[in-house]
Amino acid sequence: MGIDRALLRLLLHVAVVILLSPLPVSGADLYSLVYKGCANQSFPSGAVPPNVAALSSTLLSQSTSAKFYKTSSSSSSSSSTSVFGLFQCRGDLSGSDCSACVSRAMSSWSDVCGASVAARVQLTGCLALYEISGFPQVSGTQMLFKTCGTGGGGGTDFEMRRDTAFAQLESNVGVSNGGFYATSYQQVYAMAQCEGDLSSGDCVQCATQAVQHVEVECGGAPSGQVYLEKCYISYSYYPHGVPHGGGIGGQQTAKTVAIVLGGAVGLGFVVICLLFARSLVKKKDDY
């Protein structure tokens, strides 16, 4: 008697479901510090004034229902200036992940910047900043931070594939929901996030500037991130294919996919062996 085909089909179905199920985003990935920016000047008292705490409370209360929010907080004391603040979560985060990320970023303000009159903390999943009223501003396309992977990409046509993914970003980020857009082309995953109050045209312009920066700064590197004042982009090359769910979680996600695939194949092999053994026993009994 042959192997039970119905059971094999069921096994294959289970393996496919396992492989296509969304993989969770690691909290550690969301909360990783990307960069920080601190003003050289400190508050006169040497301590952060109470209106910064009030600002934090207002921002946190909005972070469960919004991916972007900005506001200001004044002080009842005439000697203390008002402070402005905002947060921007990555567009694919859930409300709970956004809130947790914003909370972590804001709690880092004093840790990384002390009593500076302005602090900017960028984590993988979100940005949170505050600054005193009248703090000097820079262009929205000013580059603040960049990082590039080591080694080369995927052969001579890697940059062509990456540029195709970038072109998709530039074409769609301006019309995307909340200024967030992610795409993949062959083995390249790319994403862009604009600040929530940018117009469609300004978002596209910012993303285009970021693309130009990363092409110059990172060359043929297999991954890269460029953060401008009002937007950022990132890309990653996955030689074995972009993992399901995009580049969320980076190489850890790719490793998880490999483990799940190996487990599914191993399970299939064990079941097939058992079925084959059962088939041999049945044949022997028939004789």
Side-chain angles (χ1 to χ4, degrees):
M1 180 179 178
I3 295 174
D4 191 330
R5 293 182 180 179
L7 186 53
L8 284 180
R9 286 197 295 269
L10 176 61
L11 173 64
L12 179 60
H13 174 73
V14 170
V16 169
V17 169
I18 291 174
L19 292 172
L20 295 184
S21 296
L23 298 171
V25 179
S26 167
D29 291 332
L30 293 178
Y31 307 144
S32 297
L33 177 66
V34 178
Y35 74 90
K36 64 180 179 69
C38 310
N40 294 326
Q41 180 186 355
S42 297
F43 288 103
S45 64
V48 176
N51 53 341
V52 173
L55 175 75
S56 300
S57 179
T58 302
L59 292 175
L60 186 60
S61 68
Q62 297 293 322
S63 60
T64 57
S65 57
K67 297 296 192 299
F68 170 82
Y69 188 77
K70 64 179 182 179
T71 188
S72 59
S73 177
S74 300
S75 172
S76 56
S77 172
S78 59
S79 61
S80 180
T81 186
S82 64
V83 291
F84 164 83
L86 65 80
F87 71 80
Q88 173 69 67
C89 287
R90 207 172 63 196
D92 59 339
L93 264 60
S94 66
S96 59
D97 283 339
C98 177
S99 182
C101 188
V102 170
S103 177
R104 183 74 63 92
M106 293 191 301
S107 67
S108 301
W109 284 344
S110 59
D111 294 336
V112 301
C113 291
S116 295
V117 297
R120 183 186 187 104
V121 172
Q122 175 74 59
L123 306 184
T124 302
C126 65
L127 161 73
L129 67 85
Y130 76 83
E131 58 192 36
I132 60 171
S133 178
F135 190 75
Q137 301 298 298
V138 299
S139 166
T141 55
Q142 173 71 37
M143 186 168 72
L144 303 179
F145 179 81
K146 60 95 175 175
T147 180
C148 306
T150 57
T156 56
D157 61 344
F158 162 70
E159 292 188 29
M160 180 275 293
R161 285 177 280 175
R162 184 190 63 181
D163 291 347
T164 300
F166 284 163
Q168 293 175 359
L169 281 185
E170 295 175 69
S171 298
N172 293 282
V173 70
V175 295
S176 63
N177 184 27
F180 172 82
Y181 187 75
T183 187
S184 61
Y185 180 74
Q186 295 183 7
Q187 293 101 338
V188 179
Y189 172 84
M191 61 159 286
Q193 176 69 66
C194 290
E195 202 166 281
D197 59 348
L198 285 186
S199 68
S200 175
D202 288 342
C203 179
V204 172
Q205 181 182 15
C206 191
T208 299
Q209 289 288 320
V211 166
Q212 293 173 358
H213 279 298
V214 82
E215 289 174 339
V216 172
E217 299 289 340
C218 294
S223 62
Q225 301 174 10
V226 166
Y227 290 80
L228 308 187
E229 174 72 15
K230 294 290 187 180
C231 70
Y232 70 88
I233 68 165
S234 70
Y235 74 91
S236 297
Y237 169 68
Y238 296 89
H240 303 297
V242 176
H244 179 65
I248 300 170
Q251 297 301 326
Q252 183 60 41
T253 302
K255 187 185 297 183
T256 304
V257 171
I259 292 172
V260 172
L261 177 59
V265 172
L267 175 63
F269 179 74
V270 169
V271 174
I272 289 172
C273 288
L274 291 173
L275 289 172
F276 183 67
R278 190 182 72 175
S279 174
L280 290 178
V281 171
K282 186 168 181 61
K283 284 183 178 180
K284 184 177 180 181
D285 291 341
D286 290 340
Y287 287 114

